[in-house]
């Protein structure tokens, strides 16, 4: 096992509309890790969408993942002795938790965002100049 083990923490879920396209990004990340000489290992990070969670009695739960994501991520990374970490995210509640996870770990880490979630009928990612 002379190649680095790279964890890929993904917050993808079918429950969050803004996560459309994240499965494709997961494959690109995996290919990039393999091209760079590593082994990619995916693990899931729970996500809660503000737009869906607001407006009912359980809406307080939407803030909990921000505080729990660093704990979950660090636990997986340390338990499996990962050499690096890619954090795939796309939400204003999930992204800060992913950034906190990266800051708490003493390994190379990068945060990849899936980009903005557009309203139905709005622009697509290809319409936005980079």
């Amino acid at each position: 096992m002379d190649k680095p083990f790279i964890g890929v923490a993904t917050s993808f879920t079918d429950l969050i509309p803004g996560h459309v396209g994240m499965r494709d990004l997961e494959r690109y990340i995996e290919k990039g890790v393999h091209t760079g000489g590593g082994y990619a290992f995916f693990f899931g990070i729970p996500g809660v969408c503000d737009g869906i969670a607001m407006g009912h009695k359980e809406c307080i739960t939407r803030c909990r993942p921000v505080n729990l994501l660093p704990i979950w991520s660090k636990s997986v990374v340390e338990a499996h002795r990962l050499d690096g970490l890619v954090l795939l995210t796309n939400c204003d509640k999930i992204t800060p938790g992913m950034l906190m996870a990266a800051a708490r770990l003493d390994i190379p880490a990068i945060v990849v965002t899936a980009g903005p979630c557009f309203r139905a009928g709005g622009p697509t990612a290809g319409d936005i100049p980079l």
Side-chain angles (χ1 to χ4, degrees), residues 9 11 43-47 62-79 82 85 87 89 92-107 109 111:
S11 64
F43 62 96
I45 296 293
R62 67 188 165 89
C63 294
R64 291 185 187 141
V66 174
N67 299 318
L68 296 174
L69 283 171
I71 297 167
W72 290 323
S73 300
K74 187 173 182 181
S75 296
V76 171
V77 167
E78 290 178 350
L82 299 176
L85 185 63
L87 298 132
T89 180
D92 64 344
K93 293 295 179 281
I94 301 168
T95 302
M98 295 278 205
L99 290 168
M100 288 189 285
R104 290 183 183 182
L105 294 164
D106 191 25
I107 60 172
V111 177

Side-chain angles (χ1 to χ4, degrees), residues 6-24:
I6 307 300
V8 182
T10 177
S11 64
F12 172 80
T13 173
D14 289 323
L15 295 169
I16 299 177
H19 287 194
V20 172
M22 284 180 73
R23 286 290 190 216
D24 292 335

